[in-house]
């Protein structure tokens, strides 16, 4: 089965930390591919010697989508680690894939704003997001719904700081 997992949450919420710990438990030790948009961006910035965070964004998007597509061909599960804060951002990725997964999950790491800000403050260099940007992300977040356009999510998990829930499909 081909499964796409969209990580979702504000910068600093703990998406990457959470999924790196849980992926082997959820998907098996070897049958998933983890693809981080930030890791691609930071590598390109390092190679290019650029200081502008979004200066390489078109290349980041292209490499990210390509890695997800090839991952869906080669692995049972691909984890797409990015913020995916809005319906539009989630659908943009899904539409860009020419290899359609049989299942699409959203794992929303729903941390309080104070947690996001505190964890972000511990980051260094380009990994640290300006506080105002995190506040804007938090204010603009659009919770996922089982049916977003023509896409139906098979599972939506919400991870709160001390628990994890599965949203029930609305009747």
């Amino acid at each position: 089965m081909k499964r796409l997992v969209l990580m979702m949450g504000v910068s600093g919420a703990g998406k990457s930390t959470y999924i790196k710990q849980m992926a082997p438990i959820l998907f098996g030790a070897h049958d998933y591919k983890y693809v981080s948009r930030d890791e691609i961006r930071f590598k390109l910035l390092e190679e290019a010697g650029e200081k502008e965070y979004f200066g390489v964004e078109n290349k980041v998007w292209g490499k990210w989508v390509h890695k997800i597509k090839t991952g869906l061909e080669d692995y049972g599960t691909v984890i797409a680690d990015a913020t995916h804060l809005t319906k539009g951002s989630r659908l943009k990725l899904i539409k860009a894939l020419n290899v359609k997964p049989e299942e699409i999950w959203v794992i929303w790491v729903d941390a309080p704003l104070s947690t996001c800000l505190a964890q972000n403050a511990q980051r260094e260099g380009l990994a640290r997001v300006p506080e105002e940007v995190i506040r804007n992300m938090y204010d603009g977040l659009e919770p996922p719904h089982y049916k977003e356009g023509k896409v139906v999510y098979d599972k939506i998990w919400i991870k709160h700081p001390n628990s994890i829930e599965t949203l029930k499909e609305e009747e």
Side-chain angles (χ1 to χ4, degrees):
M1 173 182 304
K2 300 297 182 184
R3 177 185 304 123
L4 174 64
V5 178
L6 303 176
M7 295 304 298
M8 179 187 163
V10 173
S11 293
K15 298 176 299 299
S16 302
T17 300
Y18 174 76
I19 200 61
K20 285 177 181 178
Q21 292 171 353
M22 292 301 297
I25 297 164
L26 293 171
F27 310 118
H30 303 290
D31 197 30
Y32 70 90
K33 171 91 173 156
Y34 171 79
V35 184
S36 166
R37 193 164 173 167
D38 280 344
E39 287 179 7
I40 293 168
R41 180 180 297 110
F42 296 148
K43 184 174 181 183
L44 286 173
L45 287 170
E46 183 179 302
E47 290 171 358
E50 294 190 34
K51 302 214 184 311
E52 178 61 39
Y53 188 84
F54 292 105
V56 294
E57 196 56 33
N58 287 337
K59 287 182 185 177
V60 171
W61 171 256
K63 284 185 177 276
W64 191 58
V65 170
H66 176 74
K67 286 185 176 209
I68 293 168
K69 286 179 184 179
T70 58
L72 285 169
E73 293 168 358
D74 298 337
Y75 293 86
T77 297
V78 174
I79 301 162
D81 190 359
T83 57
H84 295 114
L85 295 175
T86 65
K87 174 183 174 181
S89 67
R90 294 184 289 271
L91 295 179
K92 179 180 176 183
L93 173 60
I94 293 165
K95 288 178 181 178
L97 302 174
N98 61 5
V99 179
K100 298 300 179 193
E102 296 164 72
E103 284 190 357
I104 303 174
W105 293 12
V106 176
I107 299 179
W108 174 14
V109 179
D110 183 22
L113 177 59
S114 59
T115 299
C116 298
L117 293 171
Q119 291 180 163
N120 180 65
Q122 296 175 12
R123 295 174 171 174
E124 296 180 1
L126 292 173
R128 183 178 290 173
V129 178
E131 186 174 304
E132 183 67 21
V133 172
I134 291 178
R135 290 180 185 281
N136 289 340
M137 286 178 167
Y138 200 85
D139 290 343
L141 185 142
E142 296 175 8
H145 186 274
Y146 267 96
K147 297 177 184 175
E148 288 188 344
K150 294 182 180 180
V151 175
V152 176
Y153 297 124
D154 297 282
K155 185 174 285 196
I156 299 174
W157 281 5
I158 302 177
K159 186 220 181 274
H160 294 282
N162 298 316
S163 67
I164 188 160
E165 307 173 6
T166 300
L167 286 179
K168 305 289 185 217
E169 186 171 355
E170 295 177 6
E171 298 294 329

